[in-house]
Amino acid sequence: MSDRSLPTAAGVLPARFAAWFALRGWSPRAHQLVLLEKARAGRSTLLVAPTGAGKTLAGFLPSLVELAERDGEEREEPALRLHTLYISPLKALAVDIARNLEVPVAEMGLPIRIETRTGDTSAHKRARQMVRPPDILLTTPEQLALMLAHRSARELFCGLRRVVLDELHALVTSKRGDLLALGLARLRALAPGLTAVGLSATVREPEVLARYLAPGAEVVAAAGGARPDMRILETAAVLPLAGHTALHAMGEIYAAIRAHRLTLVFVNTRMQAEFVFQELWRRNDDGLAIALHHGSLDAGQRRKVEAAMAEGRLKAVVCTSTLDLGIDWGDVDLVVNVGAPKGASRLMQRIGRANHRLDEPSKAFLVPANRFEILECRAALDAVAAAAQDTPDARAGALDVLAQHVLGVACAEPFAADALHAEVVTAAPYAGLSRADFDTVLQFVATGGYALTAYERFAKIVHGKDGLWRVANPRVAQQYRLNVGTIVEEPMLKVRIAKPRRRAPGMPGTILRGGRIVGEIEEYFAETMSPGDTFVFAGEVLRFAGIVENEVVASRTSAGTDPKIPSYAGGKFPLSTFLAERVRRMIAAPDDWHRLPEQVASWLEAQRRRSRLPGRRDLLVETFPRAGRYYLVAYPFEGRLAHQTLGMLLTRRLERARLRPLGFVCNDYGLAVWGLADIGAAVASGRLRMADLFCEDMLGDDLEEWLHESALMKRTFRHCAIIAGLIERRFPGQEKTGRQVTMSTDLVYDVLRRHEPDHLLLRAARADAATGLLDLKRLTDMLSRIRGHIVHQSLDHLSPLSVAVMLEIGRETVYGEASEAILAEAEALMIEEALA
Amino acid sequence: MSLVEGKAAVGMRAPTVLTLGGAAFIADPAGALFREADRLLVVADLHLEKGSSYARRGVLLPPYDTRTTLQRLARLVARYAPHAVLALGDSFHDGDAHGRLDVDDRAAIADLQRGRDWVWVTGNHDPAVPPGAGGTVAETLVLGGVTFRHEPGGTEAPEVAAHLHPVAKVRLRGRAVRRRCFVASERRCVLPALGAYAGGLNVRHGAFQPLFPDGLTAHLLGEERLYSIAGPLLVPD
């Protein structure tokens, strides 16, 4: 290996370990030894290293050395204390790491007990672990929260020496990261001798991540690996202006798979995964072992694919972000990324899945699916070449998560508010938490925190005469245990293959039950389908028959049936601000177009000629008539979520201005609104000013009004209510038994919004809306950026760029105004039928 | 902003009138029936104090449901100035619900009752309405040739009932809208629940079929009017 110049190795590494390294033919890497030194000095450390740098061993080495050096008495003591806690975002990763760790322990004959604890661990074993813990326990953030809420948590953790956090960059960007940060703060309070080790891929601001790990933690960066060998897949075909299928490139992808040992084909959505899988098999004359892996597939099926990969029995796996993280399933030598990468750091992560040997380059092909995506791929390649990262900013801790944590602490032992507040602000996401907000959370946990104090007698935690808060009764702890964690699944429906049968004409069809379950899809996706629609799932074309209770019933179709390609829905990652800025810059600089494929350059040239180019800081808005409708197309480049929110607000304003909008669609780059009135003419006559239409004041009353009925906002509220413990995960209304009168959290949202708009849960939901499904923060930033920079181009025909957005019509869900319009239309349809 | 302001043109529509055995009822989009002839206002399934009922079990829902429901009722009473109000059962979520009412909410009920007849029809949630609730209590009631009861399914026609909390879901062009609704045929009408926390049962559920063997029309509650929809446009949940 490369690091030969390590004079300290002999001094730092005990003989037994040095011998083991030698036996394996390895020499310890510099960062591994540095971590060992830091641990000896009692320092917490963040290790930033590329894949294949021996991160895991570096993280555990200090623990192994310390445990090996225990004297005989400590070792023989029967009620051993937990020494090291390892936390991973994936339970499969925890299990995998445990297995890997057993190797050096066994080969050196170290007297160290290693166990895992996940949701799959038996209740009996988990109970035993609380009393008689192993030396090293590998687990997940949710299990940590559960252990911390246990009455013997203090006893279990008081001797804890080290905590190792794996894939830390992936953990910290979500509410899971908030909960983990609070758990770490708790651990530091329980175990004064604790040091933390964080393992992370390269991030934009390692210091911020180190601060998350522990106050005063230091950053150690391992030398980077070889530069990845990546390029945009050349294609002879004419690239489409829109769409995400990359159908034109399937032949080339297939050829690349054939030429490599094991290829991972990453796509952005489940729908794309299904489509690409189908298309590859359509071409699979060689009968290559190509498998499919995405989060909605049955877990058993996913395990089978993973095992086959590990055993080297597969040639390629088509997968979504489910395989983004850490597990080495096999000897991958090529990564193909279909569609736009959406973020430079995400792309690096994915490429890192190929080739785990540090000194050999990972190989990757990017396959843009349309012309906009070529620009995005180009921008991502430039960013990667410049080693520029676009990992998200550190988050401010969510209040709903804090509420969950406070209840967990109370379940473990009585606490004093002052002490807990002091502890909580040592967690980086909560460093800025005011005492007033902390007290609000405390009141929420106790009695719901309502201005109308109606629930004193039903309090969950009570303030005792001794000044301590404690749980009111044991049932509260039971409730907490059922509700722990921050992952709220979208309501999912199982997909069952069955044969539909028709009853008497005019009656709703009955559906034969009893077929095989092939996986799950989101309820909201199922809602968009009508009986008879065909869709691709689990690698097959299925015909939707209906929803029966909590299952989607579908039938197989005959060979060769074309799926009615469903919407792109489920693209979780919007274009990063960073890449968007690079794409805008590229479009605005015709001198650089020679770096783009000829067909893209000429497309941009046509745009310049027939309309104009969106500027780097401008917002280009085009208006034009087409086929009896009037269109407005804008290019903010802020990602689908922000565009969706913008579209909702714009249609509201146009409606009020009596410009009769009918609907809109959007993609990551722009949005198109159409209606019955001539928007361009309204601007020309001075009836409408673009600056007013895109004015930031839309984030005031218009937004409030829309939030009132927005399904996305209600979904966000439901997540917060569950995480904060207001309602249980199995709250009626989330279970579709179809047999009972069900109540939904939407009713709770409506009532709370009317009577206490500043309630903690609504504040939490609004904070989520800023970054989550509504991406309000990005929209706000954009509106302020373009103030005074709106360029309106009135056209008499559509423009080359607009085509790419307009082609989404029919592919994407079309958004309309409020639900009243749908009802009115349904009623009109009925009357029409009756008169016909 | 200086956009041209203007309310979307909403034509003045005649209210939806449901005819039951010759008696005409105005169906109000807030979810109540009103009979002009005897100035009778009918509401259903208030489920007062459902929130505090959950709170007793450790689910601390916002304690404003009773207030919200009573405000809805007060707006209806103000709009129609009825001589009599009929609450069609499950007015109180459980046996102790009346006892848990806030002072203000108690006063609000008393205000509404003043100067008019008030009948609590009993329901499965409130088989015994406490005397302190004011008004009179009845199990079923026949007024002007129409039978009023909590649970639908009596043999006497025409019948106005509650209990099922009907909701209807309409799906069109990839979008689904779910709303509370009246369900009506010529001989029977089931009212939507008025209670803020009252959930709903889809009209495509098997419970409705025997009550409406010849088919049903759902009158969905809209912002300003009802939407009357039947047949295949109504989808199950």
Side-chain angles (χ1 to χ4, degrees):
Chain A
M1 299 258 104
S2 52
D3 291 313
R4 291 276 172 208
S5 56
L6 294 169
T8 56
V12 176
L13 206 60
R16 179 147 46 157
F17 286 79
W20 177 75
F21 271 96
L23 185 75
R24 288 234 143 194
W26 297 346
S27 50
R29 298 220 169 104
H31 58 264
Q32 292 172 333
L33 296 174
V34 173
L35 254 63
L36 200 51
E37 278 181 331
K38 298 277 181 203
R40 288 220 163 112
R43 310 301 301 259
S44 292
T45 322
L46 173 72
L47 174 61
V48 176
T51 326
K55 255 189 300 205
T56 315
L57 187 56
F60 281 103
L61 205 52
S63 295
L64 297 182
V65 168
E66 198 169 299
L67 283 164
E69 288 173 348
R70 278 182 306 197
D71 62 33
E73 195 183 329
E74 274 177 303
R75 213 159 49 223
E76 299 311 319
E77 194 183 334
L80 289 172
R81 292 245 165 80
L82 187 59
H83 181 279
T84 293
L85 189 64
Y86 163 93
I87 295 163
S88 125
L90 302 173
K91 64 181 176 186
L93 184 58
V95 173
D96 190 50
I97 295 288
R99 215 171 18 235
N100 294 344
L101 202 54
E102 290 287 359
V103 175
V105 168
E107 288 180 355
M108 284 184 270
L110 303 176
I112 296 175
R113 282 197 306 137
I114 299 168
E115 289 181 6
T116 58
R117 180 190 179 99
T118 70
D120 300 336
T121 309
S122 72
H124 166 257
K125 187 171 175 188
R126 274 187 274 172
R128 197 262 299 143
Q129 285 172 338
M130 293 304 293
V131 191
R132 223 153 43 80
D135 299 306
I136 299 177
L137 184 67
L138 298 97
T139 188
T140 60
E142 288 70 29
Q143 290 296 324
L144 172 63
L146 280 171
M147 286 190 282
L148 283 171
H150 198 280
R151 268 169 318 188
S152 49
R154 182 171 289 274
E155 208 175 320
L156 176 69
F157 291 116
C158 68
L160 188 69
R161 299 280 303 152
R162 190 154 296 110
V163 56
V164 180
L165 302 161
D166 206 351
E167 304 273 7
L168 192 58
H169 60 282
L171 265 173
V172 299
T173 55
S174 62
K175 289 191 177 183
R176 265 186 118 190
D178 295 347
L179 186 65
L180 180 60
L182 292 166
L184 284 174
R186 188 88 200 127
L187 283 178
R188 284 194 295 268
L190 295 178
L194 183 72
T195 56
V197 175
L199 310 176
S200 167
T202 313
V203 289
R204 193 160 48 87
E205 295 176 306
E207 301 75 23
V208 175
L209 197 54
R211 169 65 193 86
Y212 174 99
L213 188 63
E218 295 170 34
V219 178
V220 172
R227 277 202 177 284
D229 161 19
M230 37 189 239
R231 58 188 177 83
I232 296 177
L233 192 71
E234 300 292 336
T235 177
V238 176
L239 259 180
L241 283 164
H244 304 277
T245 62
L247 182 59
H248 66 275
M250 288 304 151
E252 279 135 316
I253 295 174
Y254 181 74
I257 290 172
R258 205 167 42 188
H260 288 81
R261 221 169 27 242
L262 173 56
T263 304
L264 285 187
V265 183
F266 279 106
V267 296
N268 287 330
T269 69
R270 187 188 66 224
M271 301 306 162
Q272 280 177 306
E274 295 281 1
F275 179 83
V276 170
F277 179 73
Q278 282 256 318
E279 288 300 320
L280 288 177
W281 269 96
R282 202 193 291 272
R283 287 166 179 74
N284 196 356
D285 298 331
D286 307 294
L288 304 179
I290 300 174
L292 178 65
H293 192 285
H294 62 68
S296 303
L297 290 178
D298 179 61
Q301 202 168 331
R302 271 182 283 156
R303 295 296 95 78
K304 271 190 215 160
V305 172
E306 288 157 11
M309 261 176 92
E311 289 160 23
R313 288 190 279 117
L314 294 182
K315 194 75 181 154
V317 182
V318 179
C319 55
T320 58
S321 51
T322 47
L323 288 184
D324 270 6
L325 282 182
I327 305 168
D328 298 336
W329 293 119
D331 199 2
V332 179
D333 59 343
L334 176 67
V335 164
V336 174
N337 195 82
V338 178
K342 299 301 159 201
S345 297
R346 171 167 305 104
L347 181 64
M348 276 312 288
Q349 273 280 298
R350 287 184 165 181
I351 290 170
R353 307 319 304 150
N355 198 348
H356 276 206
R357 279 174 296 271
L358 189 60
D359 31 17
E360 286 173 31
S362 309
K363 191 169 172 191
F365 292 155
L366 305 193
V367 185
N370 59 51
R371 290 189 207 177
F372 263 126
E373 288 190 348
I374 289 195
L375 295 171
E376 199 181 324
C377 286
R378 191 67 253 165
L381 283 188
D382 291 349
V384 170
Q389 297 286 339
D390 56 359
T391 42
D393 289 332
R395 10 177 314 125
L399 295 177
D400 49 341
V401 177
L402 180 58
Q404 184 182 109
H405 178 71
V406 167
L407 186 59
V409 171
C411 290
E413 59 184 36
F415 68 86
D418 288 346
L420 186 58
H421 175 252
E423 178 187 308
V424 162
V425 295
T426 69
Y430 295 92
L433 178 77
S434 71
R435 181 57 196 258
D437 277 351
F438 176 79
D439 288 338
T440 304
V441 169
L442 205 55
Q443 288 306 324
F444 168 81
V445 175
T447 60
Y450 303 108
L452 178 69
T453 51
Y455 294 158
E456 297 301 331
R457 67 210 130 132
F458 308 128
K460 286 186 184 175
I461 58 172
V462 291
H463 200 200
K465 287 202 179 68
D466 55 2
L468 300 181
W469 289 88
R470 45 173 59 80
V471 286
N473 58 60
R475 199 188 53 196
V476 173
Q478 280 166 23
Q479 265 180 344
Y480 170 83
R481 279 196 290 276
L482 291 176
N483 224 37
V484 82
T486 59
I487 302 171
V488 180
E489 301 285 344
E490 279 305 321
M492 299 292 279
L493 300 176
K494 290 195 163 57
V495 181
R496 190 186 285 281
I497 307 278
K499 283 180 189 159
R501 289 237 173 111
R502 288 258 148 212
R503 218 156 49 183
M507 295 300 286
T510 55
I511 291 154
L512 206 68
R513 302 285 304 280
R516 192 166 62 91
I517 288 181
V518 288
E520 295 186 319
I521 59 176
E522 293 87 357
E523 184 181 343
Y524 68 79
F525 174 67
E527 296 260 304
T528 63
M529 287 192 286
S530 307
D533 281 355
T534 49
F535 65 110
V536 196
F537 189 81
E540 297 182 82
V541 180
L542 302 181
R543 178 167 279 114
F544 179 75
I547 299 173
V548 179
E549 292 181 7
N550 58 346
E551 294 179 357
V552 166
V553 181
S555 58
R556 288 211 165 82
T557 52
S558 49
T561 304
D562 273 333
K564 177 177 158 185
I565 306 255
S567 81
Y568 180 52
K572 282 186 213 146
F573 314 112
L575 174 68
S576 79
T577 312
F578 175 84
L579 279 192
E581 161 43 40
R582 281 178 177 251
V583 170
R584 268 200 303 268
R585 206 189 309 165
M586 209 180 292
I587 292 177
D591 291 349
D592 286 346
W593 289 354
H594 62 268
R595 298 170 62 227
L596 300 169
E598 158 57 28
Q599 45 180 329
V600 175
S602 58
W603 173 52
L604 293 178
E605 183 50 47
Q607 170 72 17
R608 175 157 69 166
R609 231 177 25 246
R610 299 175 60 115
S611 173
R612 65 164 71 205
L613 293 168
R616 255 188 88 178
R617 286 184 191 80
D618 296 342
L619 174 70
L620 173 63
V621 183
E622 297 171 330
T623 51
F624 50 83
R626 183 176 168 79
R629 299 267 192 271
Y630 294 92
Y631 289 81
L632 178 154
V633 183
Y635 308 90
F637 292 92
E638 295 293 348
R640 283 178 65 243
L641 298 176
H643 292 168
Q644 198 170 302
T645 303
L646 177 61
M648 295 282 187
L649 295 175
L650 283 182
T651 44
R652 229 166 225 287
R653 299 201 135 186
L654 291 168
E655 178 95 48
R656 253 211 332 261
R658 301 213 194 192
L659 289 166
R660 299 157 76 195
L662 293 171
F664 74 93
V665 289
C666 51
N667 61 15
D668 266 328
Y669 317 101
L671 75 161
V673 186
W674 61 93
L676 294 171
D678 188 342
I679 300 170
V683 173
S685 72
R687 219 182 115 201
L688 178 77
R689 288 182 52 217
M690 278 297 170
D692 293 334
L693 187 60
F694 285 90
C695 177
E696 285 161 281
D697 67 8
M698 76 168 75
L699 298 168
D701 292 350
D702 282 321
L703 178 66
E704 278 306 308
E705 227 177 89
W706 173 53
L707 288 185
H708 179 60
E709 58 185 38
S710 157
L712 290 176
M713 192 61 191
K714 287 176 178 173
R715 213 151 94 196
T716 305
F717 174 77
R718 181 179 154 254
H719 287 198
C720 292
I722 289 173
I723 290 169
L726 175 77
I727 55 167
E728 294 157 36
R729 279 164 199 267
R730 300 195 152 269
F731 189 68
Q734 314 320 330
E735 286 175 280
K736 294 232 156 196
T737 62
R739 294 194 197 290
Q740 49 186 312
V741 175
T742 55
M743 171 188 175
S744 87
T745 48
D746 294 1
L747 299 174
V748 178
Y749 173 79
D750 290 342
V751 166
L752 190 56
R753 206 171 171 282
R754 167 182 291 266
H755 290 278
E756 210 170 325
D758 294 324
H759 188 265
L760 174 90
L761 284 183
L762 292 173
R763 282 173 60 197
R766 269 187 226 114
D768 283 7
T771 54
L773 293 169
L774 290 86
D775 222 351
L776 278 176
K777 170 145 191 338
R778 209 155 156 193
L779 179 57
T780 313
D781 293 349
M782 189 274 286
L783 291 176
S784 112
R785 172 170 62 82
I786 58 152
R787 198 188 320 139
H789 299 282
I790 300 173
V791 180
H792 173 216
Q793 184 76 24
S794 192
L795 303 169
D796 49 13
H797 48 74
L798 45 69
S799 71
L801 277 190
S802 71
V803 179
V805 182
M806 305 233 322
L807 281 171
E808 299 288 346
I809 300 171
R811 270 200 193 90
E812 261 286 358
T813 316
V814 172
Y815 301 94
E817 248 302 286
S819 31
E820 293 284 308
I822 294 282
L823 293 180
E825 193 180 335
E827 193 184 55
L829 266 176
M830 287 251 326
I831 294 168
E832 224 171 83
E833 257 172 54
L835 297 178
Chain B
M1 60 178 268
S2 60
L3 276 175
V4 182
E5 303 281 337
K7 214 169 157 43
V10 179
M12 286 304 290
R13 289 178 61 99
T16 303
V17 175
L18 303 178
T19 312
L20 282 165
F25 290 88
I26 292 173
D28 189 282
L33 286 181
F34 179 69
R35 184 163 63 182
E36 188 77 52
D38 50 355
R39 303 203 68 77
L40 173 71
L41 181 71
V42 190
V43 292
D45 292 286
L46 307 182
H47 286 268
L48 299 176
E49 292 302 307
K50 181 169 177 177
S52 60
S53 170
Y54 271 84
R56 287 198 297 192
R57 292 185 277 130
V59 180
L60 305 174
L61 298 182
Y64 305 109
D65 56 319
T66 297
R67 188 173 296 184
T68 307
T69 307
L70 290 177
Q71 283 167 353
R72 286 178 191 168
L73 188 50
R75 274 195 297 274
L76 284 164
V77 166
R79 187 175 309 154
Y80 294 103
H83 289 161
V85 173
L86 212 57
L88 268 192
D90 287 2
S91 305
F92 299 96
H93 188 68
D94 56 61
D96 306 326
H98 185 262
R100 294 198 305 274
L101 282 173
D102 185 55
V103 185
D104 294 346
D105 294 335
R106 250 170 235 259
I109 295 175
D111 274 352
L112 290 173
Q113 290 175 330
R114 196 159 303 130
R116 57 179 55 91
D117 291 335
W118 191 282
V119 185
W120 302 109
V121 171
T122 55
N124 50 315
H125 279 259
D126 52 359
V129 176
T136 54
V137 179
E139 224 173 281
T140 55
L141 209 61
V142 183
L143 288 172
V146 177
T147 302
F148 296 88
R149 60 166 76 233
H150 179 61
E151 285 197 36
T155 47
E156 324 86 333
E159 178 186 78
V160 170
H163 183 57
L164 292 174
H165 303 199
V167 298
K169 187 162 163 180
V170 172
R171 188 182 295 143
L172 202 61
R173 290 192 282 111
R175 297 188 57 208
V177 180
R178 189 176 188 268
R179 292 283 175 88
R180 293 183 184 190
C181 65
F182 294 89
V183 187
S185 65
E186 273 165 24
R187 53 189 308 278
R188 176 171 283 135
C189 175
V190 178
L191 269 77
L194 194 70
Y197 285 167
L201 185 68
N202 192 299
V203 297
R204 291 286 304 272
H205 186 272
F208 289 93
Q209 212 273 331
L211 297 170
F212 299 93
D214 303 322
L216 56 80
T217 299
H219 305 275
L220 287 77
L221 309 191
E223 305 269 330
E224 288 169 355
R225 66 179 187 93
L226 296 181
Y227 298 92
S228 304
I229 296 169
L233 283 171
L234 299 174
V235 296
D237 277 336

